Amino acid sequence: MRSVEEHRRVVAALITARQPVTLPVAEALGLVLAEDVVATLSLPGFDNSAMDGYAVIGDDIAAATDDTPVRLPVTEDIPAGRTDIPTITAGTAHRIMTGAPLPSGATAVVPVESTDGAIDTVTIRASVRPGQHVRRAGEDVSAGTTVLRAGQVVTPAALGLAAALGLSELKVVPRQRVLVMSTGTELVAPGTPLQPGQIYESNAVMLAAAVRDAGGHVVASPMTGDDAEVFRETLAGHTGDADLVVTTGGVSAGAYEVVKDALTGTVEFVKVAMQPGMPQGAGILEDGTPIITLPGNPVSALVSFEVFIRPALRAAMGLPNPGRPRRTAVLTEDLTSPRGKRQFRRGVLDGDTVTSYGPPASHHLRWLASANCLLELDEDTVEAAAGERVQVWDLR
């Protein structure tokens, strides 16, 4: 029986990074930069006003107070976006808006709140320091400065900075494109009346969501029955668009294991020493596309995704913290676990304590939907007593 660590290594070796691509800035959110971004211009690009008010020569209003205001003629009106920069002369003021270029010769801006707001002759009731309420050219970014680093996740703020620098594109590590396939003749689409023995398909919906949550892109999520030829045809119809195929179901030891029937000889089907999720498979299809085959019980499928696929998928995209955060917590109850298998139980993490949540069987999806962690008991643990510290995977 293969260990969890060994199968994790097998899966990680199959999921490899795509070549960097250049994307429009608006499409780069959440991706990882593939190269440094160096500013080709300064920010701000020119001295400009930080306030709505009046550009002045500070000496002209050095004595201004509420009791002894200074009156100056307003000789220019400078809105944001004005491209010709006027020159101020002594004894005058220019009305100026936030972000507008500071006139040549001006030393500071008086906020409109310290004036009467006039447009012909303004009454100023406060002095200003040299440079007060002025944004100096290059005080945020100097041209030639590396402002974003390769390996950095593109955030909304990073996009704003790139746009402010006039960049229309960024070179990034692209998302992994994943085909998710669920199998089983018993499956029907939601909205279809159920016949006896049928169930609604949920694994593909769940795993596709898990792929997106991990940062990947789902190219399709079809379901097929237990006909091996139909399965192969469906698979072949989508793999050209995918970097990875993830299937669920059809990998156990029953009589109608369609994934095994269709891919034996291509995929290595193994038993992994874990509960839930023992039947697993991994390999490379004839067209070179990696494929990971997961068991069909829903808890087994999602736990397997968390243990094997999610960290490898995120690592291939260069995303930080590819694995879920792990720490120890104090167990609130006695638990048992099968010797020789690593058990992943649903749990509720509350501060420094953890409580198992629901039965350990792999079909109890309700409990996983409300859990906020996985409680991990290693292969040598048969009993864990209340008060012991145990390993947990934080799913929050």
PDB file of all heavy atoms in Angstrom, residues 132-158:
ATOM      1  N   GLN A 132       3.749  72.609   1.657  1.00  0.00           N
ATOM      2  CA  GLN A 132       2.555  72.080   2.303  1.00  0.00           C
ATOM      3  C   GLN A 132       1.435  71.870   1.293  1.00  0.00           C
ATOM      4  O   GLN A 132       1.174  72.719   0.446  1.00  0.00           O
ATOM      5  CB  GLN A 132       2.091  73.022   3.425  1.00  0.00           C
ATOM      6  CG  GLN A 132       1.019  72.401   4.321  1.00  0.00           C
ATOM      7  CD  GLN A 132       0.764  73.249   5.556  1.00  0.00           C
ATOM      8  OE1 GLN A 132       1.325  74.344   5.727  1.00  0.00           O
ATOM      9  NE2 GLN A 132      -0.094  72.742   6.440  1.00  0.00           N
ATOM     10  N   HIS A 133       0.796  70.694   1.379  1.00  0.00           N
ATOM     11  CA  HIS A 133      -0.313  70.306   0.503  1.00  0.00           C
ATOM     12  C   HIS A 133       0.116  70.184  -0.963  1.00  0.00           C
ATOM     13  O   HIS A 133      -0.683  70.391  -1.871  1.00  0.00           O
ATOM     14  CB  HIS A 133      -1.488  71.271   0.636  1.00  0.00           C
ATOM     15  CG  HIS A 133      -1.961  71.447   2.044  1.00  0.00           C
ATOM     16  ND1 HIS A 133      -2.284  70.386   2.857  1.00  0.00           N
ATOM     17  CD2 HIS A 133      -2.138  72.577   2.807  1.00  0.00           C
ATOM     18  CE1 HIS A 133      -2.658  70.831   4.044  1.00  0.00           C
ATOM     19  NE2 HIS A 133      -2.573  72.153   4.053  1.00  0.00           N
ATOM     20  N   VAL A 134       1.392  69.832  -1.160  1.00  0.00           N
ATOM     21  CA  VAL A 134       1.925  69.618  -2.508  1.00  0.00           C
ATOM     22  C   VAL A 134       2.455  68.195  -2.609  1.00  0.00           C
ATOM     23  O   VAL A 134       3.177  67.724  -1.726  1.00  0.00           O
ATOM     24  CB  VAL A 134       3.051  70.613  -2.840  1.00  0.00           C
ATOM     25  CG1 VAL A 134       3.698  70.281  -4.190  1.00  0.00           C
ATOM     26  CG2 VAL A 134       2.513  72.036  -2.848  1.00  0.00           C
ATOM     27  N   ARG A 135       2.064  67.479  -3.659  1.00  0.00           N
ATOM     28  CA  ARG A 135       2.626  66.159  -3.952  1.00  0.00           C
ATOM     29  C   ARG A 135       3.775  66.362  -4.928  1.00  0.00           C
ATOM     30  O   ARG A 135       3.575  66.800  -6.063  1.00  0.00           O
ATOM     31  CB  ARG A 135       1.573  65.256  -4.583  1.00  0.00           C
ATOM     32  CG  ARG A 135       0.322  65.036  -3.744  1.00  0.00           C
ATOM     33  CD  ARG A 135      -0.763  64.457  -4.613  1.00  0.00           C
ATOM     34  NE  ARG A 135      -1.992  64.163  -3.878  1.00  0.00           N
ATOM     35  CZ  ARG A 135      -3.175  63.990  -4.441  1.00  0.00           C
ATOM     36  NH1 ARG A 135      -3.303  64.129  -5.766  1.00  0.00           N
ATOM     37  NH2 ARG A 135      -4.247  63.718  -3.717  1.00  0.00           N
ATOM     38  N   ARG A 136       4.976  66.018  -4.503  1.00  0.00           N
ATOM     39  CA  ARG A 136       6.146  66.248  -5.334  1.00  0.00           C
ATOM     40  C   ARG A 136       6.323  65.139  -6.375  1.00  0.00           C
ATOM     41  O   ARG A 136       6.027  63.964  -6.116  1.00  0.00           O
ATOM     42  CB  ARG A 136       7.410  66.332  -4.480  1.00  0.00           C
ATOM     43  CG  ARG A 136       7.455  67.559  -3.563  1.00  0.00           C
ATOM     44  CD  ARG A 136       7.425  68.841  -4.355  1.00  0.00           C
ATOM     45  NE  ARG A 136       7.513  70.034  -3.478  1.00  0.00           N
ATOM     46  CZ  ARG A 136       7.336  71.264  -3.913  1.00  0.00           C
ATOM     47  NH1 ARG A 136       7.069  71.494  -5.208  1.00  0.00           N
ATOM     48  NH2 ARG A 136       7.426  72.278  -3.074  1.00  0.00           N
ATOM     49  N   ALA A 137       6.805  65.509  -7.537  1.00  0.00           N
ATOM     50  CA  ALA A 137       7.054  64.533  -8.603  1.00  0.00           C
ATOM     51  C   ALA A 137       8.007  63.451  -8.098  1.00  0.00           C
ATOM     52  O   ALA A 137       9.042  63.756  -7.501  1.00  0.00           O
ATOM     53  CB  ALA A 137       7.643  65.228  -9.828  1.00  0.00           C
ATOM     54  N   GLY A 138       7.622  62.176  -8.298  1.00  0.00           N
ATOM     55  CA  GLY A 138       8.482  61.054  -7.939  1.00  0.00           C
ATOM     56  C   GLY A 138       8.495  60.688  -6.478  1.00  0.00           C
ATOM     57  O   GLY A 138       9.235  59.776  -6.079  1.00  0.00           O
ATOM     58  N   GLU A 139       7.668  61.335  -5.644  1.00  0.00           N
ATOM     59  CA  GLU A 139       7.725  60.999  -4.219  1.00  0.00           C
ATOM     60  C   GLU A 139       7.126  59.636  -3.930  1.00  0.00           C
ATOM     61  O   GLU A 139       7.409  59.028  -2.900  1.00  0.00           O
ATOM     62  CB  GLU A 139       7.046  62.082  -3.379  1.00  0.00           C
ATOM     63  CG  GLU A 139       5.541  62.150  -3.488  1.00  0.00           C
ATOM     64  CD  GLU A 139       4.941  63.180  -2.529  1.00  0.00           C
ATOM     65  OE1 GLU A 139       5.596  64.181  -2.195  1.00  0.00           O
ATOM     66  OE2 GLU A 139       3.787  62.960  -2.124  1.00  0.00           O
ATOM     67  N   ASP A 140       6.306  59.108  -4.823  1.00  0.00           N
ATOM     68  CA  ASP A 140       5.769  57.752  -4.660  1.00  0.00           C
ATOM     69  C   ASP A 140       6.665  56.740  -5.369  1.00  0.00           C
ATOM     70  O   ASP A 140       7.119  55.760  -4.769  1.00  0.00           O
ATOM     71  CB  ASP A 140       4.345  57.693  -5.213  1.00  0.00           C
ATOM     72  CG  ASP A 140       3.670  56.346  -4.975  1.00  0.00           C
ATOM     73  OD1 ASP A 140       4.156  55.581  -4.123  1.00  0.00           O
ATOM     74  OD2 ASP A 140       2.664  56.059  -5.639  1.00  0.00           O
ATOM     75  N   VAL A 141       6.950  56.980  -6.639  1.00  0.00           N
ATOM     76  CA  VAL A 141       7.773  56.073  -7.446  1.00  0.00           C
ATOM     77  C   VAL A 141       8.735  56.899  -8.279  1.00  0.00           C
ATOM     78  O   VAL A 141       8.322  57.874  -8.922  1.00  0.00           O
ATOM     79  CB  VAL A 141       6.907  55.207  -8.387  1.00  0.00           C
ATOM     80  CG1 VAL A 141       7.786  54.365  -9.307  1.00  0.00           C
ATOM     81  CG2 VAL A 141       5.968  54.320  -7.588  1.00  0.00           C
ATOM     82  N   SER A 142       9.989  56.491  -8.286  1.00  0.00           N
ATOM     83  CA  SER A 142      10.969  57.105  -9.180  1.00  0.00           C
ATOM     84  C   SER A 142      11.170  56.205 -10.393  1.00  0.00           C
ATOM     85  O   SER A 142      11.234  54.977 -10.252  1.00  0.00           O
ATOM     86  CB  SER A 142      12.317  57.303  -8.470  1.00  0.00           C
ATOM     87  OG  SER A 142      12.181  58.193  -7.392  1.00  0.00           O
ATOM     88  N   ALA A 143      11.236  56.789 -11.574  1.00  0.00           N
ATOM     89  CA  ALA A 143      11.479  56.008 -12.791  1.00  0.00           C
ATOM     90  C   ALA A 143      12.726  55.154 -12.608  1.00  0.00           C
ATOM     91  O   ALA A 143      13.736  55.609 -12.062  1.00  0.00           O
ATOM     92  CB  ALA A 143      11.637  56.937 -13.982  1.00  0.00           C
ATOM     93  N   GLY A 144      12.651  53.897 -13.045  1.00  0.00           N
ATOM     94  CA  GLY A 144      13.763  52.967 -12.908  1.00  0.00           C
ATOM     95  C   GLY A 144      13.688  52.095 -11.666  1.00  0.00           C
ATOM     96  O   GLY A 144      14.480  51.166 -11.514  1.00  0.00           O
ATOM     97  N   THR A 145      12.723  52.362 -10.790  1.00  0.00           N
ATOM     98  CA  THR A 145      12.567  51.576  -9.569  1.00  0.00           C
ATOM     99  C   THR A 145      11.792  50.287  -9.862  1.00  0.00           C
ATOM    100  O   THR A 145      10.811  50.298 -10.603  1.00  0.00           O
ATOM    101  CB  THR A 145      11.802  52.381  -8.503  1.00  0.00           C
ATOM    102  OG1 THR A 145      12.503  53.583  -8.226  1.00  0.00           O
ATOM    103  CG2 THR A 145      11.635  51.575  -7.221  1.00  0.00           C
ATOM    104  N   THR A 146      12.250  49.172  -9.281  1.00  0.00           N
ATOM    105  CA  THR A 146      11.484  47.931  -9.357  1.00  0.00           C
ATOM    106  C   THR A 146      10.342  48.018  -8.351  1.00  0.00           C
ATOM    107  O   THR A 146      10.576  48.074  -7.145  1.00  0.00           O
ATOM    108  CB  THR A 146      12.364  46.713  -9.058  1.00  0.00           C
ATOM    109  OG1 THR A 146      13.414  46.649 -10.031  1.00  0.00           O
ATOM    110  CG2 THR A 146      11.549  45.417  -9.109  1.00  0.00           C
ATOM    111  N   VAL A 147       9.123  48.043  -8.850  1.00  0.00           N
ATOM    112  CA  VAL A 147       7.972  48.277  -7.972  1.00  0.00           C
ATOM    113  C   VAL A 147       7.191  46.998  -7.656  1.00  0.00           C
ATOM    114  O   VAL A 147       6.485  46.936  -6.650  1.00  0.00           O
ATOM    115  CB  VAL A 147       7.020  49.323  -8.590  1.00  0.00           C
ATOM    116  CG1 VAL A 147       7.681  50.690  -8.612  1.00  0.00           C
ATOM    117  CG2 VAL A 147       6.576  48.924  -9.993  1.00  0.00           C
ATOM    118  N   LEU A 148       7.292  45.986  -8.509  1.00  0.00           N
ATOM    119  CA  LEU A 148       6.656  44.693  -8.271  1.00  0.00           C
ATOM    120  C   LEU A 148       7.666  43.613  -8.608  1.00  0.00           C
ATOM    121  O   LEU A 148       8.412  43.744  -9.590  1.00  0.00           O
ATOM    122  CB  LEU A 148       5.392  44.525  -9.126  1.00  0.00           C
ATOM    123  CG  LEU A 148       4.263  45.538  -8.890  1.00  0.00           C
ATOM    124  CD1 LEU A 148       3.181  45.390  -9.967  1.00  0.00           C
ATOM    125  CD2 LEU A 148       3.650  45.360  -7.506  1.00  0.00           C
ATOM    126  N   ARG A 149       7.681  42.548  -7.833  1.00  0.00           N
ATOM    127  CA  ARG A 149       8.684  41.503  -7.999  1.00  0.00           C
ATOM    128  C   ARG A 149       8.096  40.234  -8.600  1.00  0.00           C
ATOM    129  O   ARG A 149       6.949  39.887  -8.351  1.00  0.00           O
ATOM    130  CB  ARG A 149       9.300  41.155  -6.638  1.00  0.00           C
ATOM    131  CG  ARG A 149      10.049  42.302  -5.970  1.00  0.00           C
ATOM    132  CD  ARG A 149      11.394  42.527  -6.613  1.00  0.00           C
ATOM    133  NE  ARG A 149      12.156  43.584  -5.927  1.00  0.00           N
ATOM    134  CZ  ARG A 149      13.340  43.999  -6.329  1.00  0.00           C
ATOM    135  NH1 ARG A 149      13.915  43.442  -7.397  1.00  0.00           N
ATOM    136  NH2 ARG A 149      13.963  44.957  -5.679  1.00  0.00           N
ATOM    137  N   ALA A 150       8.899  39.539  -9.392  1.00  0.00           N
ATOM    138  CA  ALA A 150       8.512  38.215  -9.888  1.00  0.00           C
ATOM    139  C   ALA A 150       8.194  37.325  -8.697  1.00  0.00           C
ATOM    140  O   ALA A 150       8.894  37.345  -7.686  1.00  0.00           O
ATOM    141  CB  ALA A 150       9.636  37.609 -10.722  1.00  0.00           C
ATOM    142  N   GLY A 151       7.111  36.549  -8.786  1.00  0.00           N
ATOM    143  CA  GLY A 151       6.686  35.700  -7.702  1.00  0.00           C
ATOM    144  C   GLY A 151       5.631  36.340  -6.819  1.00  0.00           C
ATOM    145  O   GLY A 151       5.063  35.681  -5.952  1.00  0.00           O
ATOM    146  N   GLN A 152       5.363  37.624  -7.052  1.00  0.00           N
ATOM    147  CA  GLN A 152       4.356  38.340  -6.267  1.00  0.00           C
ATOM    148  C   GLN A 152       2.977  38.104  -6.863  1.00  0.00           C
ATOM    149  O   GLN A 152       2.797  38.130  -8.075  1.00  0.00           O
ATOM    150  CB  GLN A 152       4.704  39.832  -6.286  1.00  0.00           C
ATOM    151  CG  GLN A 152       3.812  40.716  -5.460  1.00  0.00           C
ATOM    152  CD  GLN A 152       4.326  42.157  -5.420  1.00  0.00           C
ATOM    153  OE1 GLN A 152       5.498  42.425  -5.688  1.00  0.00           O
ATOM    154  NE2 GLN A 152       3.443  43.082  -5.083  1.00  0.00           N
ATOM    155  N   VAL A 153       1.992  37.870  -6.008  1.00  0.00           N
ATOM    156  CA  VAL A 153       0.614  37.709  -6.479  1.00  0.00           C
ATOM    157  C   VAL A 153       0.060  39.070  -6.881  1.00  0.00           C
ATOM    158  O   VAL A 153       0.242  40.069  -6.168  1.00  0.00           O
ATOM    159  CB  VAL A 153      -0.268  37.080  -5.389  1.00  0.00           C
ATOM    160  CG1 VAL A 153      -1.722  36.984  -5.852  1.00  0.00           C
ATOM    161  CG2 VAL A 153       0.247  35.686  -5.025  1.00  0.00           C
ATOM    162  N   VAL A 154      -0.607  39.111  -8.017  1.00  0.00           N
ATOM    163  CA  VAL A 154      -1.182  40.361  -8.508  1.00  0.00           C
ATOM    164  C   VAL A 154      -2.470  40.647  -7.735  1.00  0.00           C
ATOM    165  O   VAL A 154      -3.456  39.921  -7.851  1.00  0.00           O
ATOM    166  CB  VAL A 154      -1.461  40.284 -10.016  1.00  0.00           C
ATOM    167  CG1 VAL A 154      -2.086  41.587 -10.503  1.00  0.00           C
ATOM    168  CG2 VAL A 154      -0.166  40.007 -10.781  1.00  0.00           C
ATOM    169  N   THR A 155      -2.435  41.706  -6.950  1.00  0.00           N
ATOM    170  CA  THR A 155      -3.572  42.130  -6.141  1.00  0.00           C
ATOM    171  C   THR A 155      -4.253  43.326  -6.816  1.00  0.00           C
ATOM    172  O   THR A 155      -3.717  43.894  -7.768  1.00  0.00           O
ATOM    173  CB  THR A 155      -3.092  42.556  -4.751  1.00  0.00           C
ATOM    174  OG1 THR A 155      -2.189  43.669  -4.912  1.00  0.00           O
ATOM    175  CG2 THR A 155      -2.368  41.409  -4.041  1.00  0.00           C
ATOM    176  N   PRO A 156      -5.432  43.734  -6.330  1.00  0.00           N
ATOM    177  CA  PRO A 156      -6.036  44.953  -6.883  1.00  0.00           C
ATOM    178  C   PRO A 156      -5.113  46.163  -6.786  1.00  0.00           C
ATOM    179  O   PRO A 156      -5.048  46.981  -7.720  1.00  0.00           O
ATOM    180  CB  PRO A 156      -7.296  45.123  -6.024  1.00  0.00           C
ATOM    181  CG  PRO A 156      -7.675  43.729  -5.659  1.00  0.00           C
ATOM    182  CD  PRO A 156      -6.367  43.026  -5.429  1.00  0.00           C
ATOM    183  N   ALA A 157      -4.375  46.292  -5.669  1.00  0.00           N
ATOM    184  CA  ALA A 157      -3.451  47.414  -5.531  1.00  0.00           C
ATOM    185  C   ALA A 157      -2.323  47.332  -6.558  1.00  0.00           C
ATOM    186  O   ALA A 157      -1.910  48.353  -7.129  1.00  0.00           O
ATOM    187  CB  ALA A 157      -2.877  47.448  -4.115  1.00  0.00           C
ATOM    188  N   ALA A 158      -1.823  46.103  -6.811  1.00  0.00           N
ATOM    189  CA  ALA A 158      -0.766  45.940  -7.816  1.00  0.00           C
ATOM    190  C   ALA A 158      -1.275  46.302  -9.206  1.00  0.00           C
ATOM    191  O   ALA A 158      -0.554  46.908 -10.012  1.00  0.00           O
ATOM    192  CB  ALA A 158      -0.240  44.501  -7.798  1.00  0.00           C
TER     193      ALA A 158
END
